[in-house]
Amino acid sequence: MDKPAPSSSTILGSAPALGPQTLTPTPVPTPVPAGASPAAGPSTDAPTRVPFISPQVASYFIAGGVAGAASRTVVSPLERLKIIQQVQSSAMDQQYRGVWRSLVRMWQEEGFRGFMRGNGINCLRIIPYSAVQFTTYEQLKKWLTNHGEKELDTPTRLLSGALAGITSVCTTYPLDLVRSRLSIATATIALPTTPPQPTAAPSGGISPPALASAYHTASAPAPTLAQAQGAAARGGRLTMLGMARTVMRDEGGARALYRGLPATAFGVAPYVGINFAAYEALRGVLTPPGARAGAPRKLACGALAGSISQTLTYPMDVLRRKMQVTGMAALGVRHAGAVDAFWYVLRTEGVRGLYKGLWPNLLKVAPSIATSFFVYELVKESLLPPS
């Protein structure tokens, strides 16, 4: 008797029977254009968003602003004294002569508010000024060295600093002018009794204006500029906005807020350039790469750099102040320009007149620049992750 033929399931042993299956179609690859790399697959990631300002640039800006505000507040009394000594009449130097004696007088007449007079607008000015300056300098160093491919030498530092100084001063100059006016508005500077006269006399000589009061006395204190112009009684003069409105109303509109800008830019460019170049050169000597740089050495680098740059460019700072306050009729002198102011100072006061207020300014610059660089690096390092 014949046995039945074994089935295929018997031959395969434990292989299960296959049921009906659904075949998945093989995806057809999309043609890739020539020169393009094939995509790994559909991406679910959102498109990368490029920030408007990189974190590095933002850290430069924030650190520069904080450094500027800190440095100016520390030396506000000396800053105001420097401006007063720069613009007071040469015949009345006895009123604000000597740093300590002048600071004591300022305290006795106006108290702590006298020390801080003009510091509010100075900080308002210096925050964007310092922020723009440090940021521009850092960026220019990268661009001029092609992001590190070229050597960062001293001429490159000087050029970067000079351009950074011009950029920052053009950005904030009106605030600087108003700050200068506020700094001297309440100072007891001797005032002329005659109307303002041009700097050049027809006969070739220059006669100094007569003075209303020479010294402070208990019975007849010398008038301030604000009192001379009747502004103290009106009350709205000694504010930032009030002073700016007065300048624009009395001296020719918004253009008056930029009086002295060329002289300022001409003086600031070498000052900032020398300042940055000297600081980085001193850092290379006092805090060489690889060595641990302590706070005293960093502060010393900033103090020395600021003193060197300020001494070399101080005459331009005097001319800048002369131009900024030349519209104040109570001072009795109007200058047609920076060159006119320069020759006027030489004829009436000699070369020494170009360095009026240098000593209190050096006392101010050393701690100011030291604080500025130190705080800048401190804040920048705290904002940027270690590389």
Side-chain angles (χ1 to χ4, degrees):
M1 184 174 177
D2 295 336
K3 295 181 179 180
S7 64
S8 59
S9 61
T10 304
I11 297 174
L12 296 176
S14 61
L18 298 176
Q21 299 180 3
T22 304
L23 299 178
T24 303
T26 303
V28 180
T30 305
V32 179
S37 58
S43 175
T44 59
D45 296 337
T48 304
R49 302 179 66 178
V50 179
F52 179 72
I53 298 178
S54 68
Q56 192 175 42
V57 174
S59 69
Y60 297 155
F61 198 84
I62 295 172
V66 174
S71 64
R72 285 302 186 270
T73 303
V74 166
V75 297
S76 177
L78 291 170
E79 174 70 16
R80 187 185 178 213
L81 176 59
K82 180 200 72 170
I83 295 175
I84 292 173
Q85 289 188 339
Q86 285 178 339
V87 302
Q88 67 183 353
S89 171
S90 59
M92 294 304 302
D93 281 350
Q94 293 86 347
Q95 281 197 325
Y96 286 92
R97 173 173 291 178
V99 176
W100 176 250
R101 185 170 53 185
S102 298
L103 290 176
V104 171
R105 183 192 192 111
M106 195 183 299
W107 176 267
Q108 292 174 344
E109 293 177 352
E110 304 179 59
F112 180 76
R113 294 184 64 182
F115 281 173
M116 294 294 112
R117 180 77 66 184
N119 187 59
I121 193 169
N122 198 19
C123 288
L124 184 64
R125 175 193 71 91
I126 203 63
I127 288 175
Y129 175 88
S130 183
V132 170
Q133 187 176 103
F134 275 104
T135 304
T136 305
Y137 178 72
E138 296 280 8
Q139 293 299 102
L140 284 173
K141 284 198 305 182
K142 294 179 182 178
W143 295 339
L144 293 177
T145 59
N146 199 13
H147 294 272
E149 294 183 3
K150 299 179 181 179
E151 181 184 1
L152 180 61
D153 51 11
T154 299
T156 303
R157 292 192 182 102
L158 288 171
L159 179 59
S160 300
L163 293 177
I166 293 174
T167 303
S168 58
V169 78
C170 291
T171 304
T172 61
Y173 189 77
L175 291 173
D176 187 32
L177 183 140
V178 173
R179 189 266 307 215
S180 297
R181 299 292 183 93
L182 286 175
S183 294
I184 68 170
T186 58
T188 49
I189 299 176
L191 305 176
T193 57
T194 57
Q197 299 295 331
T199 59
S203 59
I206 298 177
S207 300
L211 300 175
S213 177
Y215 300 90
H216 272 295
T217 61
S219 58
T224 65
L225 294 177
Q227 291 169 342
Q229 297 183 1
R234 292 195 296 268
R237 177 78 155 78
L238 299 181
T239 64
M240 302 176 194
L241 185 59
M243 182 67 78
R245 287 176 175 174
T246 300
V247 171
M248 290 190 292
R249 183 186 67 241
D250 298 343
E251 303 176 31
R255 185 178 179 181
L257 294 174
Y258 290 89
R259 180 179 285 113
L261 177 59
T264 301
F266 185 73
V268 164
Y271 167 72
V272 178
I274 295 172
N275 195 22
F276 277 111
Y279 176 75
E280 295 196 359
L282 289 168
R283 281 294 304 270
V285 175
L286 297 180
T287 59
R292 185 175 181 180
R297 292 197 174 192
K298 290 182 180 180
L299 291 171
C301 291
L304 289 173
S307 300
I308 294 170
S309 59
Q310 186 65 73
T311 302
L312 294 176
T313 61
Y314 189 75
M316 295 307 304
D317 191 42
V318 174
L319 296 180
R320 170 168 65 118
R321 300 301 178 193
K322 294 284 188 182
M323 291 302 302
Q324 287 177 343
V325 301
T326 189
M328 302 181 80
L331 289 177
V333 179
R334 285 182 177 271
H335 300 294
V339 176
D340 178 52
F342 174 76
W343 289 114
Y344 175 79
V345 172
L346 284 182
R347 288 194 298 263
T348 58
E349 305 174 50
V351 177
R352 186 177 180 182
L354 295 173
Y355 287 90
K356 289 172 61 177
L358 176 61
W359 176 237
N361 192 55
L362 288 178
L363 293 179
K364 173 189 75 74
V365 162
S368 175
I369 300 300
T371 303
S372 179
F373 278 116
F374 180 76
V375 173
Y376 172 74
E377 293 192 358
L378 186 66
V379 176
K380 184 180 70 171
E381 291 172 1
S382 66
L383 294 176
L384 285 177
S387 56

